[in-house]
Amino acid sequence: MAEQMGGLADDRALLGRTSTAERVADILRSRIAEGYFPPGTRLSEDSIGGALGVSRNTLREAFRLLTHERLLVHELNRGVFVRVLTVEDVEDIYRTRRLVECAVVRGLGDPPYALDALAEVVEHGRTAAREGDWKGVGTANIHFHRELVALAASERTDELMRSVFAELRLAFHVVDEPQRLHEPYIARNVGILQALQDGDRDKAETLLAAYLEVSLERVVEVYRRRVGEDGQEGRPVV
């Protein structure tokens, strides 16, 4: 926990002069997605508030926002915890991803497309794989899909999917088999990028839909074994 608080102290400068609950929520959302607070972790108001230099009321409002986003859960007489997703949650996340991501690709319009950011994160993923950094591969993979969604140039879609991708990382942290989970998708990302570079959005959408179907099956298979249907089996004790 001391290491986690040290990381938050580094984020304190991001708050600027006006420490708002939204900014605190942004920082905590990022830290949860990055695995600093794994699923099942109890979040201490005193420790986090002290590290960020914010009031208890501001922090509680940030917790409320993240609870609304389904990243946190408040348990009576126990406190606030990072959520442990259920299998149903994971399935719903992928259902949302398919609806949104495939629609973004389908609605791209005529090529050429602005693919520099997408190509950059593909290369980041390949570099991380060569170095055996499978957590880095997972991060690059999430960034690939974030940049794919960003092609829609819609702030509302970006905001929606930022929360969805943060929830997805909760599932990835529990699965805890990063190489098996992420390695197959390096080539799939390359294929989607290549189709878009060729101006073939129909092929890119087909590849993306297949990608998401296979990914869902793989994640649910391992997740069900490690956590159970209701997110209770194997829950971390903190």
Side-chain angles (χ1 to χ4, degrees):
M1 183 63 72
E3 181 180 351
Q4 294 165 334
M5 294 308 111
L8 283 180
D10 294 337
D11 287 333
R12 186 170 180 169
L14 298 177
L15 295 174
R17 295 183 178 180
T18 55
S19 299
T20 66
E22 289 82 2
R23 288 175 179 171
V24 172
D26 284 343
I27 289 171
L28 293 179
R29 185 188 302 108
S30 296
R31 289 290 177 167
I32 290 168
E34 291 166 3
Y36 284 86
F37 299 111
T41 301
R42 181 180 179 275
L43 300 185
S44 165
E45 287 186 3
D46 291 339
S47 297
I48 295 174
L52 290 176
V54 298
S55 70
R56 188 179 296 268
N57 286 340
T58 295
L59 187 59
R60 286 178 176 174
E61 176 62 14
F63 284 171
R64 188 191 68 78
L65 293 171
L66 295 178
T67 299
H68 180 70
E69 293 180 17
R70 297 175 297 277
L71 295 178
L72 302 181
V73 60
H74 180 268
E75 298 187 5
L76 188 63
N77 299 324
R78 295 195 66 220
V80 176
F81 294 79
V82 179
R83 277 193 70 203
V84 179
L85 303 182
T86 66
V87 169
E88 184 178 357
D89 289 326
V90 175
E91 292 171 337
D92 193 39
I93 287 168
Y94 272 88
R95 189 179 303 117
T96 302
R97 291 186 66 191
R98 181 160 184 164
L99 286 170
V100 174
E101 293 185 48
C102 289
V104 166
V105 173
R106 190 181 316 126
L108 281 178
D110 296 327
Y113 309 120
L115 301 174
D116 288 350
L118 205 63
E120 184 176 350
V121 295
V122 165
E123 189 55 38
H124 286 169
R126 296 168 82 172
T127 299
R130 287 194 296 269
E131 296 173 351
D133 177 10
W134 299 108
K135 182 178 179 181
V137 172
T139 297
N141 191 33
I142 290 289
H143 290 173
F144 175 86
H145 290 274
R146 186 185 66 190
E147 295 297 341
L148 191 68
V149 169
L151 293 174
S154 165
E155 291 184 6
R156 290 176 179 83
T157 306
D158 289 342
E159 182 177 353
L160 166 67
M161 294 307 292
R162 182 171 66 245
S163 177
V164 169
F165 289 141
E167 278 195 273
L168 182 63
R169 289 301 289 263
L170 293 182
F172 287 172
H173 295 319
V174 169
V175 169
D176 197 27
E177 296 181 5
Q179 181 173 357
R180 180 174 182 268
L181 183 64
H182 300 303
E183 187 174 22
Y185 305 115
I186 298 172
R188 288 180 180 268
N189 289 347
V190 172
I192 293 168
L193 173 63
Q194 185 62 60
L196 291 174
Q197 289 173 331
D198 293 342
D200 191 344
R201 65 181 181 184
D202 291 339
K203 180 179 180 180
E205 182 185 355
T206 298
L207 291 173
L208 176 61
Y211 173 123
L212 292 174
E213 182 176 352
V214 170
S215 180
L216 171 60
E217 291 175 358
R218 185 181 298 270
V219 172
V220 166
E221 172 197 355
V222 181
Y223 199 86
R224 183 178 282 118
R225 186 169 67 247
R226 289 182 60 87
V227 178
E229 292 285 344
D230 59 1
Q232 294 302 310
E233 296 177 22
R235 174 176 174 163
V237 179
V238 181

